Amino acid sequence: MSLKCAIELGIPDVLHNHRKPITLSELATFLSIPPSKTPALGSLMRLLVHSGLFASHRHQGGGEEESYFLPPTSEILVKEKKACISPFALMILNWIMVVPGHQLGEWFRAGAAGETPFDMAHGKGLFGETNVRADLNDLFNEAMASDARLVTEVALLRRQWEVLRGVRSVVDVGGGTGTVAKSIAKALPEVRCMVLDLPHVVATMDEDQREGVEFIGGDMFEHIPPADAVLLKVG
Ligand SMILES: C[S@@+](CC[C@H](N)C(=O)[O-])C[C@H]1O[C@@H](n2cnc3c(N)ncnc32)[C@H](O)[C@@H]1O
């Protein structure tokens, strides 16, 4: 929840853009946090430093105010970075995703066979047309896309799409808004790239967002379009 709060306040972006360690009072000013809440901001920062997401230092001699900075590994929380995974963090920390975890004990005792903790908490599933996901559709899709951007960035750097060279077609099953398929289409233009996802997810994709990828709406448990290679990536 501290991470969620920090992302919502834009703290990783402020630390990154400041380019040098920032004191608590400077940070409070940047974020327009009222002075009455500066001590609470200090607690939040201490917790995030303790967990290794942020870093801090104090000049030798001690007296000076502690100042905070972003360790290189946390740059994946900065909005302007291509491989920013903050949307993924915001999705998994959203109350809709967190509530089922509060009821795990009850689920073990009373959950019906085949019912997930998510179904039990919300009375409906994460996927499907009439689902809770409809309430967080954009957040969910963007979360998955942010994870996929990180993965595709690494795949491109390591030239991992080469494994697909020679296949004529690939289908990304449950491929969401197509971040992975688009990356493959760009790296290997000769390969026919398809995404199979639920119809209401495919419906969010305008023609100009498809970038050479075919989007097919359907249920993977009923039909998977034939292709030389089938890709299944879970965020
Ligand atoms: C965890 S997300 C993964 C998205 C993407 N593969 C990625 O890694 O970024 C699961 C995806 O599967 C889709 N999905 C769930 N049930 C499905 C079904 N029965 N048929 C087709 N797609 C489904 C969801 O809409 C969602 O986009």
Side-chain angles (χ1 to χ4, degrees):
M1 289 307 138
S2 299
L3 172 61
K4 180 173 185 275
C5 171
I7 294 172
E8 284 170 351
L9 291 176
I11 296 177
D13 309 288
V14 172
L15 297 186
H16 176 72
N17 295 335
H18 197 61
R19 312 245 172 249
K20 58 181 195 276
I22 190 169
T23 63
L24 185 62
S25 42
E26 287 171 328
L27 181 62
T29 307
F30 264 105
L31 299 172
S32 307
I33 303 277
S36 63
K37 290 183 181 149
T38 304
L41 182 64
S43 303
L44 180 81
M45 294 305 288
R46 203 171 313 130
L47 199 147
L48 289 163
V49 168
H50 181 73
S51 63
L53 286 160
F54 296 159
S56 73
H57 78 70
R58 207 184 275 274
H59 272 284
Q60 276 174 358
E64 214 167 292
E65 211 182 332
E66 193 169 10
S67 44
Y68 302 94
F69 60 99
L70 203 62
T73 45
S74 291
E75 284 187 14
I76 54 169
L77 298 172
V78 174
K79 276 195 207 94
E80 71 181 42
K81 299 277 174 189
K82 194 171 173 214
C84 173
I85 52 130
S86 290
F88 192 84
L90 289 180
M91 189 273 291
I92 55 172
L93 293 168
N94 183 282
W95 72 270
I96 293 176
M97 303 302 283
V98 170
V99 161
H102 287 279
Q103 302 179 1
L104 276 184
E106 199 188 332
W107 176 77
F108 273 108
R109 289 210 182 85
E115 186 183 48
T116 66
F118 193 99
D119 299 334
M120 186 175 181
H122 295 296
K124 46 189 175 176
L126 178 58
F127 300 114
E129 198 89 50
T130 51
N131 59 23
V132 182
R133 189 184 153 188
D135 298 337
L136 81 161
N137 200 22
D138 291 345
L139 188 66
F140 189 93
N141 289 342
E142 179 46 23
M144 287 302 148
S146 73
D147 177 67
R149 278 194 294 271
L150 176 66
V151 171
T152 51
E153 184 119 317
V154 175
L156 281 173
L157 272 175
R158 297 189 179 170
R159 301 174 57 82
Q160 285 183 332
W161 297 148
E162 286 303 311
V163 76
L164 292 168
R165 196 169 288 283
V167 305
R168 287 161 303 171
S169 54
V170 56
V171 57
D172 188 2
V173 176
T177 49
T179 306
V180 171
K182 287 176 198 168
S183 163
I184 297 171
K186 220 165 159 187
L188 304 170
E190 68 282 7
V191 179
R192 178 182 170 205
C193 293
M194 295 170 271
V195 162
L196 171 74
D197 210 294
L198 296 166
H200 61 278
V201 176
V202 170
T204 65
M205 296 299 298
D206 291 337
E207 212 49 58
D208 59 346
Q209 296 175 302
R210 300 190 176 202
E211 298 175 30
V213 171
E214 290 170 48
F215 284 80
I216 301 147
D219 181 349
M220 65 170 137
F221 298 113
E222 286 174 9
H223 176 72
I224 293 179
D228 286 350
V230 174
L231 185 72
L232 191 66
K233 174 190 167 299
V234 182

